Each structure stands twice: as structure tokens, then as C-alpha cells.
Amino acid sequence: MKNPGIHVRVLIATVMIIGLTTSTLSYIGVSITHQFAQKRFEEHISFLAKYLALNAELGILLDDRAMLERLAVNLLSERDVVGVVILDANGREMIRAPGVFSEKFPIMEAPVFLAETREESRAFGYEGQSRERQIGQVQIRYSTAGIDQLWKTMVVYFIWIAAGLTCLAGLVFYFISRSLVAPVKELAKAAGRVALGNFNSRAEPGNLPEARELAVAFNVMLDSLERHRLSLEKATEQARRNKTLAEMGEFSLMIAHELKNPLGIIKGA
């Protein structure tokens, strides 16, 4: 399998880093949002329970079950309330509004106190109240389907956002990495042309300062190699000429020697 180049490696690394970062931030964002929404939801249900307890006081005192039933039915109009129960001071059930009372639904309870035992400045607070003066209790069964659906919707949205940001970052870094890798590819092409014998080929300077410096250094190296090549060719040519002259001298001496002996014999005769 062919090893990926720097362009592919930079792109893969970027996509992985951006994907991991956006996924982590999305998870943190979803968790924080879910916790905040869950807290506000529970506070809303608690407010409904305390509100019902406040209004149910007179109905419990008068044993007015019709009034208590109207209060319970009105509370069932709330989207997340699935059941309402009102108890007297002895824990006996006075009203059970028609609804779903499955154990899978969580329950929110609030005590009902006499008006004389509550601080007037705290309409829905029961701090400091004595259990002996409690005249009843309200129980609200509520569904978390809405908040769970909100959680799932947020997760889907954040997944799409993370995926979109990752793709966008990958696309941006794709073009950035291309601009970074292009000068290196140009140097490789120039080296290939020189290797094929085109000694006049030179690398084109890129737009980046570093790429321009690298191209200039590469061209200077090629110029230096060209000068050394020309010097070597000149020295080789000179050596070849000297060798030829030496061989011609040796041949001349041999011819002179061959001619000298017969001439000496002729001269002696």
C-alpha cells in the first residue's frame, strides 16, 4: 500500500483534530444545556406542586372534594403533569385526578400547611414549618418525555453542527495544505527534469516566503552544479587533449627511431 503524502496526512490529522474538538465541545455543550433544562423543568414541577398545595388548603379544611378535584383537573392541563393525588393529614387519599399513575413516572410532593403556620413573606416556602401542623399533602406524577425529546433533539443538532464544522474545517485545510505542498511538488518536478538531463531547468518560486527561499536555494544549488559540471567538462577536455598530444609524441619518437636505424645503415654503407 502506498504511503500517503504530506497533503493527505495533514488533511487527515486536521479532520481528526477538528472532529475530536467539535465532538468534545458539543458533548460538553449538550450536557450543560441538558442539566440546565432539567433543573428548570424540575423547578417548574416543584412550583406547580407548591401552587397546588397553597390552593388546596381551604378544600382540605372544608373537605370540599369537588373543589380539590377541580384544582387537580386544572393542573392536569399542564403538558407534563400526568397524575395528581391530594391526601389529608392522616395520609388518606381525598382526590385522585384521572391520569397515569405508573411507577415509571417520577413524583413531586408538597405538604399543605395552615395559613397561620406559614410566613407571609414566603408564599411557596415551607422552611421552618412543623410537621404536626401539616393538614395534607399533594403528589404530582409528571412525565419527562418532553425533556427527553428535547435532549435527543439537541444531540442530533449538535451532531450535525459538529459534522458540518468538521467538513468545513477539512475543506479549508485541504486548500491550505495544497498551497503548502505545491512548492514541494514543483521542486520534485524540477529535480526530475534535471535528472533527465535538462540542466537548464529551474524551480518556480512559490507565493509563500518559505517556499520562495527553498526554490531560490534549490536554483542556486543547480547553478553551482552547472558550474562544476562545466568545469569538469573543461578539465576532461584538457586531459583528453594532453593525452592525445602525449600519444602523438610517443608515436613520433617511434617513427623517428624506426627511420633512424635504416638511415644509419645507409649512411655507414
Side-chain angles (χ1 to χ4, degrees), residues 159-176:
I159 289 175
W160 279 107
I161 291 173
L165 291 176
T166 302
C167 293
L168 179 61
L171 184 63
V172 171
F173 275 90
Y174 171 77
F175 291 103
I176 293 177

Side-chain angles (χ1 to χ4, degrees), residues 91-263:
R92 292 191 297 268
E93 185 177 299
M94 299 181 65
I95 291 297
R96 176 180 288 265
V100 182
F101 291 90
S102 174
E103 294 296 330
K104 70 177 182 180
F105 294 111
I107 187 172
M108 181 69 68
E109 299 179 345
V112 181
F113 293 100
L114 286 173
E116 295 80 13
T117 63
R118 286 198 306 269
E119 296 179 6
E120 297 297 330
S121 61
R122 296 183 178 180
F124 299 112
Y126 298 98
E127 296 80 7
Q129 301 300 332
S130 174
R131 296 293 295 179
E132 288 75 16
R133 297 185 181 182
Q134 180 178 335
I135 63 173
Q137 187 181 48
V138 298
Q139 298 178 349
I140 298 178
R141 291 277 182 179
Y142 61 95
S143 172
T144 60
I147 198 70
D148 293 339
Q149 182 61 38
L150 177 62
W151 160 257
K152 294 178 181 179
T153 303
M154 287 191 302
V155 169
V156 172
Y157 283 160
F158 274 100
I159 289 175
W160 279 107
I161 291 173
L165 291 176
T166 302
C167 293
L168 179 61
L171 184 63
V172 171
F173 275 90
Y174 171 77
F175 291 103
I176 293 177
S177 62
R178 283 189 61 184
S179 64
L180 295 176
V181 175
V184 178
K185 290 184 176 181
E186 177 61 28
L187 290 177
K189 292 179 180 179
R193 291 192 296 267
V194 173
L196 293 176
N198 186 5
F199 299 105
N200 295 323
S201 178
R202 295 294 181 270
E204 294 293 333
N207 297 324
L208 298 176
E210 294 81 3
R212 189 179 300 109
E213 293 178 1
L214 183 60
V216 170
F218 184 78
N219 292 334
V220 170
M221 180 189 68
L222 291 179
D223 293 338
S224 178
L225 291 176
E226 181 66 14
R227 289 194 299 269
H228 284 82
R229 187 181 65 84
L230 294 177
S231 299
L232 182 60
E233 288 182 354
K234 185 176 180 181
T236 302
E237 180 65 23
Q238 185 65 35
R240 187 169 55 252
R241 290 179 60 185
N242 293 336
K243 182 179 180 180
T244 302
L245 291 175
E247 290 177 352
M248 290 180 63
E250 293 178 358
F251 181 73
S252 299
L253 290 176
M254 184 182 66
I255 296 298
H257 178 72
E258 294 297 331
L259 292 176
K260 183 178 180 180
N261 290 335
L263 290 177

